Amino acid sequence: MPDVLEQLGRIWTILPDARLVGGAVRDLLRGQAVADIDLACAAPPDVVMAKLKAAGIRVVPTGLAHGTVTAVIDRRPFEITTLRRDEETDGRHATVAWTQDWREDAARRDFTINAMSCDSAGVVHDYFGGQADLAAGRVRFVGDARLRITEDALRILRFFRFQARYGSGRPDPQAINAMTGLAGLIDRLSVERIWSELRRILTGPEVARTLGQMHDCGVLDHVLPEGYAIPRLERLLACGAPDEPVLRLAALVVGDGREAARRLKLSRAETGALVRTRGGPVLCPGLDAPAILRLLADHAPCDLIWRAWLRQADQLARPDAGWDALRHQLAHTQPPVFPLNGGDVIGAGCPPGAMVGQVLGQVRHWWLEKGCAPDHAACIARLRAVLAEDAARTT
């Protein structure tokens, strides 16, 4: 932290009216580590850039349309945004104008706990009761909840994420009423933004309770219109599964997951993991070593381990030594590699063509039945026997 304070000191020397804003103030008040340090100031972005450059600080124009530039000091980024007000919003994007009024800037933010600012003297400026809400575990929209949501419908999902992390007790009733009435606005959001928030909810605290609240408001129906199964996810969490967002999504969705993955535009890797977890082989505790090897010959260990978590959640809602032992075996067993390839088949006298793959498949099937134990020499012997049997049938 001393380095950060020194770097902040440089910025405050150049921009003395700048203040820390948003999550940095909230987390400092909670005594938590601050991940991203954002600042705001009254000067317009071109003036901010000129002053920083004149002081020898590298500046990146990261969002000039919204008044944001990034100062980079010793490779650490500091976002600095000019005070602004919304001139026009469409539920996703806003046209902004610069302002000199700190309260006006704070009034356009989402929640009271995110609307505070802190100056270089350490004075916290709190126009909407954010400190009291933070202390009481209340997550409230700044001003009128319906207005804040119509400005940006993503704030519905952000509310649930923040409620899970900072809230206690029942959610703010005004927020619940507003979100219930405006849940359909989620359909206007890009699916990339929806998935970004959903994955953070899935890996945050109070996952099942949060999703239940989203269901009660009709929000989750717009996030996962394909359907969902909160009880199965609850069982997965009770089993002690890791906080992997795609694994938790696999427990939450219904069907094979392909439609949800397509609509949410999951990455190719995420889609593959989701589909394989939903539709992999049937697993159970107590599998012997040959069965484990056969599984590992055809499936990646991580896929099988996730599949084991999901299968356990289908049956139990608690940790289980048998399932733990199975996952340990899957993680610590070297996956076997079939010793032969097409060149071995052709070298044994099989003419090139479709038959090469058929013969190779027959030998591999035999190798799997033997628990993947036969070595190269044994597989060659079996290959010759298969070719001999095929030759005998054709004469």
Side-chain angles (χ1 to χ4, degrees):
M1 198 66 177
D3 289 343
V4 177
L5 293 177
E6 188 176 311
Q7 293 158 352
L8 273 173
R10 288 187 63 188
I11 294 175
W12 270 320
T13 299
I14 303 162
L15 303 168
D17 75 323
R19 298 181 192 172
L20 296 175
V21 292
V25 182
R26 179 196 66 228
D27 293 341
L28 283 171
L29 288 173
R30 285 173 57 91
Q32 296 179 331
V34 177
D36 299 314
I37 299 179
D38 298 331
L39 299 99
C41 69
D46 56 336
V47 173
V48 173
M49 291 183 68
K51 288 185 174 182
L52 291 169
K53 288 180 179 178
I57 294 176
R58 185 165 75 89
V59 188
V60 181
T62 43
L64 288 181
H66 291 88
T68 301
V69 303
T70 300
V72 183
I73 303 176
D74 300 328
R75 294 184 292 184
R76 186 191 301 274
F78 295 86
E79 279 198 357
I80 305 171
T81 302
T82 298
L83 299 181
R84 54 194 177 170
R85 64 175 180 270
D86 291 341
E87 296 281 275
E88 183 180 340
T89 62
D90 62 3
R92 289 177 293 179
H93 310 291
T95 302
V96 300
W98 315 141
T99 180
Q100 302 286 310
D101 188 334
W102 282 93
R103 182 186 178 90
E104 189 175 34
D105 180 86
R108 64 179 298 279
R109 298 183 182 270
D110 49 10
F111 311 119
T112 61
I113 60 174
N114 292 339
M116 297 176 284
S117 57
C118 178
D119 62 28
S120 59
V123 176
V124 174
H125 301 263
D126 180 10
Y127 305 102
F128 302 103
Q131 291 185 82
D133 285 342
L134 192 63
R138 288 190 299 264
V139 179
R140 291 190 303 120
F141 284 97
V142 173
D144 181 66
R146 292 183 63 87
L147 178 58
R148 295 286 83 78
I149 291 169
T150 55
E151 289 169 347
D152 185 355
L154 192 69
R155 288 170 173 169
I156 295 176
L157 301 185
R158 283 174 56 82
F159 176 89
F160 288 107
R161 174 161 64 86
F162 277 80
Q163 175 67 26
R165 188 169 298 278
Y166 300 104
S168 62
R170 297 181 62 183
D172 177 61
Q174 291 185 2
I176 292 296
N177 290 337
M179 292 186 297
T180 301
L182 298 172
L185 293 180
I186 291 173
D187 297 340
R188 300 171 58 186
L189 296 170
S190 73
V191 290
E192 292 89 349
R193 295 180 80 197
I194 292 174
W195 172 232
S196 175
E197 284 297 323
L198 177 60
R199 69 181 296 146
R200 295 163 88 174
I201 290 170
L202 288 173
T203 55
E206 305 291 346
V207 179
R209 187 179 71 178
T210 301
L211 292 171
Q213 293 167 348
M214 294 169 65
H215 165 77
D216 292 342
C217 291
V219 167
L220 199 54
D221 290 330
H222 293 276
V223 175
L224 291 173
E226 301 83 8
Y228 46 86
I230 297 176
R232 183 170 55 215
L233 176 57
E234 286 184 288
R235 294 194 299 271
L236 180 77
L237 298 171
C239 289
D243 60 349
E244 294 285 351
V246 176
L247 173 59
R248 292 183 174 183
L249 182 65
L252 181 61
V253 299
V254 298
D256 63 10
R258 293 179 189 274
E259 181 58 26
R262 182 199 62 77
R263 188 182 52 78
L264 291 172
K265 294 185 180 179
L266 269 59
S267 69
R268 182 175 298 179
E270 290 171 334
T271 298
L274 176 63
V275 171
R276 291 190 298 270
T277 302
R278 290 291 303 157
V282 176
L283 302 176
C284 62
L287 294 176
D288 59 20
I292 294 290
L293 288 170
R294 282 192 289 269
L295 286 168
L296 290 169
D298 288 326
H299 305 276
C302 58
D303 292 339
L304 293 170
I305 290 169
W306 280 21
R307 180 65 178 161
W309 279 116
L310 199 60
R311 287 290 296 165
Q312 180 181 350
D314 285 336
Q315 302 172 11
L316 303 172
R318 56 175 172 78
D320 180 80
W323 283 104
D324 290 341
L326 173 61
R327 283 186 288 269
H328 185 272
Q329 282 181 282
L330 292 169
H332 293 87
T333 300
Q334 181 67 34
V337 178
F338 181 50
L340 303 188
N341 56 38
D344 293 311
V345 180
I346 294 173
C350 180
M355 189 175 179
V356 172
Q358 296 172 7
V359 171
L360 198 63
Q362 291 181 56
V363 179
R364 190 176 189 276
H365 180 74
W366 168 84
W367 175 75
L368 288 169
E369 287 186 327
K370 297 295 183 182
C372 309
D375 60 11
H376 184 268
C379 287
I380 288 291
R382 180 61 183 173
L383 167 63
R384 289 172 176 158
V386 168
L387 289 174
E389 291 168 3
D390 287 345
R393 280 195 296 269
T394 57
T395 58

